[in-house]
Amino acid sequence: MPMLVRKSLRDYRRALIGWTIGICVFVGMYTSFFPQMHQNPDFYNQAAIAKYPDSLRKLMGGLENIASGTGFLQAVVYQLFVPMLFIMCAVILGNKAIAAPEESGTLELTLTLPLDRKRLVVERFAALALGLLGIAVASLAVVTILGSSVDLGVAFDRILAAHTGLYLLVLFFGTLALAVGAATGRKALAMSVAGVYAVAGYVVNALAADIEAMRWLNRLSPFYYYSEGNPLVNGFPTGDYLVLLAGTAVLVLTAVLAFDRRDVGV
Amino acid sequence: MTAVVETEGLTKFYGKRRGLEDLTFEIRPGEVFGYLGPNGAGKTTTIRLLLDVIRPTRGVARVLGAEPRDAAVRGRIGYLPGELALEGREKASEYLRFLAGVRGGVAKGRIEALGERLEADLSVKMGQLSKGNKQKVGLIQAFMHEPEFLILDEPTSGLDPLVQQEFLAMVREARTAGRTVLMSSHVLAEVEHVSDRVGIVRGGRLVAVEDVAALREKAVRRVEFHFDAPVPEEAFRGLPGVRDLKVEGTSVSCTIDGRPDALIKVAARFTVVHMVSAEPDLEEIFLTYYSEDVHHAHVGA
């Protein structure tokens, strides 16, 4: 593994461990509620409809069929909270690539090593991608193992498909933060751009089902490519995932080019 | 031999603010170049331009015969930043090993030897290092790979006097080994004893480059002679370079500008029992460079 990737991962170690535990606990806790729902499908289906007003329920992905394994997993793991939590983690890690060390001044010494600036950005991106992959694999294991112990009845390949989408989604937002940081060197700006885009993207995607005007806008939302193919039911939506991946690639390229041409630390 | 640093019309503006304007100078192989100026004069800007941390608005710089953008050239440079930031839970020794690794490794035991020499505790986590210890870690990483060219931005800040002496010895050794050093400071006293030449920068402009030996020759020096018997004042009056002459019984004191030769020869005619010659006050010359702009400003107003 290239030195800088290894070093970055070592620097992220504590954050990575913390987020892995956090996300896995969150995922595990919700997954383990399933037996209760499964045993009282009518009650919980009714409750889900009764508890939340229509519009709020739509924001939460409909909450349909919450007593079935697939519907439950979609609602509690892949819909709102876990992606948002995981995106927050990705944005924070993405900021650690360039913007945070630049603001604290530690980037200057790194920059004067015999390393190409382009390589610096690429290796920091690689560390981000690997770190997030670690969290994704750990949380996938939790969903799979707990899921089978509570008889979710969702095939592993479907869970894998959904989880791959989750990984690609958070990688996109993490890379967005990295790219804004690489282009401007400003942590707060990177955080707000990624945060605003994530929230807006989510809302647009949730409302697009009902509001005609949102449909074309939805094409700009990463959540559209994440959820449209319904991977828990249909398996890998290859085309959609490639769009997410392409978006990430464009951001990496932007980050590399922007960072290569600007003054650092002024 | 090609110059280690060569710049032509090097200029950097931060927006409208001038960081450095029209810098043309060179640093020769094997010399220690002291780069002097008050804070904010453009020293760090120059250094960052040479290391490609920032890019010039105009002009060119060549370092070790290459463009600063060439990453490989930085492998031959050791750099101590003026505001060294080290943080995190990593131990200083681990961080140094990482830096050494990126630089393609350093001689075995080298980091430990430098650590001992500067009395740095490398087992401390970086976030907990004191300012002086941070500076030591910074010096170790700059020297450890025995680079051809050392760029040291305010290297003595935060060091106690004993460690400062050790550091100056390291600079002298580097020069003896044929390496080139650029070191900045805002105090002449810090660099005059190791520098061959000094450049003086002020308000973003290089106002003078002086040979330290020549500067010393030009410098005003206080001299005092004590004789075994009273001496006649006429003998000392009107000697070249002698000013503020004071003859009181058996003692003669004056300041001397340039070579003391004529004065010594006159004094040799009498019996000298004691002689005091203070170090030439370069600081005074230095301050005249600084105050020139102030002076002009006064005239203008």
Side-chain angles (χ1 to χ4, degrees):
Chain A
M1 199 187 290
M3 296 224 37
L4 199 64
V5 179
R6 209 163 52 206
K7 156 85 171 154
S8 307
L9 283 174
R10 205 164 65 215
D11 289 348
Y12 302 169
R13 192 177 47 203
R14 278 182 168 243
L16 282 173
I17 292 172
W19 280 103
T20 305
I21 293 172
I23 289 172
C24 285
V25 165
F26 201 85
V27 165
M29 220 167 62
Y30 274 96
T31 309
S32 59
F33 288 157
F34 179 66
Q36 293 175 32
M37 296 236 178
H38 194 55
Q39 280 150 22
N40 305 297
D42 294 335
F43 172 72
Y44 279 101
N45 273 334
Q46 286 304 314
I49 291 167
K51 186 171 171 193
Y52 299 108
D54 203 41
S55 53
L56 189 62
R57 210 168 62 243
K58 283 204 175 93
L59 261 184
M60 294 173 74
L63 300 179
E64 289 145 17
N65 226 350
I66 196 162
S68 80
T70 311
F72 175 78
L73 206 54
Q74 177 64 38
V76 303
V77 174
Y78 294 109
Q79 186 61 42
L80 174 60
F81 296 113
V82 174
M84 281 305 180
L85 198 64
F86 205 169
I87 285 171
M88 203 192 293
C89 156
V91 168
I92 289 170
L93 284 179
N95 246 340
K96 286 190 185 224
I98 304 285
E102 179 167 353
E103 281 191 6
S104 74
T106 55
L107 188 63
E108 183 166 344
L109 206 53
T110 314
L111 218 53
T112 56
L113 291 168
L115 274 179
D116 194 72
R117 277 203 199 184
K118 297 189 185 77
R119 230 185 95 192
L120 177 77
V121 176
V122 170
E123 291 197 14
R124 284 277 161 92
F125 166 73
L128 171 70
L130 282 173
L132 293 176
L133 185 63
I135 300 177
V137 168
S139 51
L140 172 65
V142 170
V143 174
T144 309
I145 293 166
L146 268 181
S148 78
S149 78
V150 298
D151 294 317
L152 266 183
V154 184
F156 175 71
D157 66 326
R158 295 296 189 258
I159 299 179
L160 179 67
H163 227 80
T164 305
L166 180 63
Y167 173 65
L168 292 175
L169 180 75
V170 300
L171 182 63
F172 174 85
F173 282 107
T175 311
L176 176 61
L178 180 146
V180 176
T184 64
R186 283 158 59 198
K187 214 163 52 175
L189 182 67
M191 188 89 77
S192 354
V193 168
V196 167
Y197 191 25
V199 171
Y202 183 85
V203 170
V204 165
N205 182 53
L207 301 183
D210 286 337
I211 305 172
E212 189 67 35
M214 293 269 184
R215 295 265 157 84
W216 70 267
L217 207 59
N218 199 14
R219 297 285 168 150
L220 297 175
S221 166
F223 286 90
Y224 170 79
Y225 303 97
Y226 165 67
S227 63
E228 190 62 17
N230 204 355
L232 272 180
V233 176
N234 305 322
F236 275 93
T238 314
D240 287 348
Y241 283 5
L242 282 177
V243 173
L244 283 177
L245 211 52
T248 304
V250 168
L251 288 173
V252 173
L253 191 69
T254 311
V256 166
L257 294 177
F259 187 62
D260 197 43
R261 67 185 55 202
R262 76 176 171 92
D263 294 346
V264 173
V266 291
Chain B
M1 253 173 137
T2 50
V4 171
V5 171
E6 213 178 344
T7 71
E8 216 183 297
L10 197 61
T11 300
K12 178 69 188 177
F13 277 83
Y14 303 104
K16 277 193 167 161
R17 191 166 61 82
R18 177 171 70 182
L20 186 71
E21 194 163 11
D22 204 21
L23 173 72
T24 302
F25 83 130
E26 64 166 39
I27 297 176
R28 301 168 195 144
E31 79 173 335
V32 177
F33 190 91
Y35 199 45
L36 294 170
N39 295 327
K43 303 188 298 277
T44 299
T45 296
T46 309
I47 285 169
R48 286 188 168 154
L49 284 167
L50 297 180
L51 286 157
D52 193 45
V53 175
I54 55 175
R55 306 278 163 66
T57 310
R58 277 194 306 276
V60 287
R62 294 186 76 75
V63 179
L64 294 165
E67 302 254 333
R69 291 200 73 148
D70 181 356
V73 83
R74 294 198 289 271
R76 299 156 64 192
I77 299 176
Y79 170 51
L80 173 72
E83 274 164 44
L84 181 63
L86 302 172
E87 54 180 40
R89 292 188 174 79
E90 202 176 17
K91 282 180 184 169
S93 57
E94 283 169 14
Y95 182 61
L96 288 168
R97 268 199 294 280
F98 157 71
L99 294 175
V102 177
R103 289 188 175 282
V106 302
K108 206 169 154 24
R110 173 85 175 147
I111 292 174
E112 292 73 19
L114 283 170
E116 260 169 52
R117 193 167 177 188
L118 293 170
E119 291 171 20
D121 184 358
L122 301 181
S123 63
V124 177
K125 288 174 181 169
M126 297 230 287
Q128 292 165 3
L129 287 170
S130 67
K131 183 164 176 1
N133 269 314
K134 272 189 187 162
Q135 194 72 356
K136 289 176 188 177
V137 171
L139 285 171
I140 293 171
Q141 62 82 31
F143 278 84
M144 66 183 175
H145 53 295
E146 308 195 308
E148 285 168 62
F149 182 28
L150 281 156
I151 298 180
L152 310 170
D153 196 358
E154 304 270 355
T156 53
S157 74
L159 296 181
D160 63 56
L162 276 177
V163 181
Q164 269 189 40
Q165 289 309 313
E166 201 55 50
F167 158 73
L168 290 175
M170 282 162 60
V171 171
R172 283 193 197 95
E173 282 162 31
R175 179 175 51 184
T176 311
R179 306 184 209 291
T180 310
V181 182
L182 164 62
M183 69 188 261
S184 82
S185 176
H186 56 275
V187 195
L188 177 73
E190 277 182 6
V191 299
E192 66 165 307
H193 296 291
V194 287
S195 298
D196 301 297
R197 290 193 304 151
V198 291
I200 294 164
V201 64
R202 173 178 175 84
R205 285 179 174 280
L206 186 69
V207 291
V209 175
E210 293 280 347
D211 198 284
V212 173
L215 207 58
R216 196 162 275 145
E217 198 163 296
K218 268 198 274 177
V220 176
R221 191 187 295 257
R222 259 209 95 67
V223 185
E224 241 180 84
F225 288 99
H226 296 272
F227 302 96
D228 68 343
V231 291
E233 191 175 342
E234 309 84 66
F236 292 89
R237 208 178 290 141
L239 289 174
V242 170
R243 278 185 289 136
D244 305 328
L245 180 70
K246 236 191 202 161
V247 180
E248 280 170 347
T250 62
S251 76
V252 173
S253 67
C254 62
T255 60
I256 177 137
D257 203 343
R259 296 182 176 186
D261 186 66
L263 177 67
I264 298 287
K265 281 182 174 144
V266 171
R269 285 196 246 139
F270 309 95
T271 309
V272 182
V273 293
H274 186 55
M275 177 191 157
V276 180
S277 169
E279 270 290 287
D281 196 358
L282 297 196
E283 204 73 38
E284 218 156 83
I285 298 195
F286 184 57
L287 286 174
T288 60
Y289 281 118
Y290 275 4
S291 55
E292 251 163 46
D293 286 26
V294 180
H295 186 70
H296 286 314
H298 271 299
V299 173

